[in-house]
Amino acid sequence: MIARERRQEYMYIVHSLQSAGANVDVKSTREWTGVHIMRGNLAESHETGTKQESKKIDPKELLESAAAGKDKSKSDDQKPPVVNEFFPKLEDLESEEKMIKKYSTHLTKEEQQEFIEEVNVILVTATSIEYRAVMGATAPTGGDGKYIKVITKDGSTNFILGKYGRCNVAVIMTEQGPDNTQKVLTSVLDDVKAEYVIAIGICYGAKESKTEELGDKTKLANIIVAKSIVNTEHQRSEEKRNVLPDTYHCGEKLLNLFKHEKVFNFKDKSVKVHVGVLASEFTLHRNEEEKQKILKQVPQALGGEMEANGINRVAVAKKDKFQWIVIKSIVDWGNEDKDKTWQPFGAVSCARFVLKCLKDQPDEGDPLKKTIK
């Protein structure tokens, strides 16, 4: 028989576990359920209260785990759905069968030039992962099944013409970071007089952040619709006081198009959609300590990415002639455990979410058609 002191010690541990949020059920009888004491060790049992084969557990470790808020239901070890059919290879997109190449805007092909003039949305991707996901959701412009690759007038970059739902779009890939994004977007906007810019892709999550709308924590594959962007470049201290970083608000019309969806179902997986703040940074985080230094100054941020600052710079230079928004899926936590496991699914589900929202508008026709001036 276990000594009374021993039993009291374990009862304290059990009640501490319960206070910390652990799912523990204890009966004050000799038949313990949920957690019981066996030969001086804490062991899990089935609800029958009968003796089962039990795995020994260090009660101190279990208590510390519960106190730290660890929760198996929120673990990130679930494998993402396979999305190969929505995720074309780059070589397939660039093939002669799929792409009309080397068409430049100074040439006089009426139909193609007319399409460029009708394009009112630029879809911004930074990496090949994001680009492949967006192109997998983009339909060719004509009945021949081919996309048109346009070389910009200054010859510095190119873009793809396509249909995204009912919208005529130009798809660009900038590479990561604000500087590359600013350079490529500026060049494309000299050719495409678009009124809307949508950045689609992947980001890291802050993990502990909550949204007012849903009231729960972000998880892998959750989509963040940015209502505003915080520029962490300007985060600094002056005379022992913190200077608040600059905040940029995303376009009101674009936000209204995307903010109403709370859950997006794709490939038999329910993906929550959070509306909130994203940090826009200049460093690709792979360290929890460094990430927390940034997020400490931006506690409201749900995650972070690297392109929004570049888009905002262009908007300022163009005197806000276009609205813009950033919509990205959480694929890691920006720490030492960062890997690419969730990147394809995150990028594809984000691209399909944007496509669905553009398609689901109540009025027929292009929801982002050019304004008649």
Side-chain angles (χ1 to χ4, degrees), residues 47-72:
E47 289 187 355
T48 58
T50 57
K51 292 183 179 180
Q52 307 286 341
E53 281 190 13
S54 303
K55 180 181 177 181
K56 292 183 178 180
I57 301 173
D58 182 349
K60 182 179 179 182
E61 180 182 345
L62 191 59
L63 178 58
E64 290 175 347
S65 174
K70 293 181 180 179
D71 185 348
K72 288 183 179 180

Side-chain angles (χ1 to χ4, degrees), residues 36-235:
H36 67 281
I37 300 168
M38 181 182 292
R39 295 178 183 174
N41 289 297
L42 206 64
E44 263 190 21
S45 168
H46 296 292
E47 289 187 355
T48 58
T50 57
K51 292 183 179 180
Q52 307 286 341
E53 281 190 13
S54 303
K55 180 181 177 181
K56 292 183 178 180
I57 301 173
D58 182 349
K60 182 179 179 182
E61 180 182 345
L62 191 59
L63 178 58
E64 290 175 347
S65 174
K70 293 181 180 179
D71 185 348
K72 288 183 179 180
S73 68
K74 296 181 181 179
S75 66
D76 298 328
D77 56 2
Q78 182 183 357
K79 291 183 179 180
V82 177
V83 290
N84 292 343
E85 67 268 38
F86 306 101
F87 196 57
K89 296 178 180 178
L90 287 177
E91 53 266 33
D92 293 338
L93 288 171
E94 294 287 338
S95 69
E96 293 291 344
E97 292 76 23
K98 292 286 186 182
M99 189 78 69
I100 299 174
K101 297 183 178 181
K102 298 180 180 178
Y103 166 69
S104 59
T105 54
H106 68 270
L107 300 178
T108 57
K109 288 193 175 181
E110 266 185 38
E111 185 176 309
Q112 292 156 342
Q113 188 64 39
E114 184 178 331
F115 187 92
I116 292 174
E117 290 173 357
E118 290 178 355
V119 168
N120 202 29
V121 181
I122 297 175
L123 303 181
V124 178
T125 67
T127 66
S128 61
I129 296 284
E130 297 172 344
Y131 174 73
R132 289 166 62 189
V134 169
M135 286 301 297
T138 303
T141 58
D144 59 358
K146 290 188 177 183
Y147 300 97
I148 301 172
K149 175 183 279 188
V150 181
I151 311 237
T152 55
K153 290 176 182 176
D154 62 11
S156 66
T157 189
N158 62 72
F159 55 90
I160 308 299
L161 296 175
K163 295 284 289 187
Y164 211 74
R166 298 194 295 264
C167 297
N168 295 330
V169 300
V171 182
I172 65 174
M173 180 168 63
T174 65
E175 298 184 6
Q176 287 180 302
D179 295 339
N180 290 325
T181 302
Q182 180 182 8
K183 180 180 177 181
V184 173
L185 182 57
T186 298
S187 176
V188 172
L189 278 166
D190 286 340
D191 287 29
V192 180
K193 308 303 181 184
E195 294 177 326
Y196 303 99
V197 173
I198 305 173
I200 302 174
I202 56 179
C203 66
Y204 77 77
K207 198 167 187 175
E208 294 303 320
S209 298
K210 295 184 178 182
T211 57
E212 182 179 345
E213 289 84 354
L214 296 179
D216 60 358
K217 294 180 182 178
T218 53
K219 297 181 182 180
L220 289 178
N222 283 183
I223 292 170
I224 299 174
V225 175
K227 63 182 179 182
S228 59
I229 299 292
V230 176
N231 178 7
T232 61
E233 178 188 24
H234 296 159
Q235 190 171 292

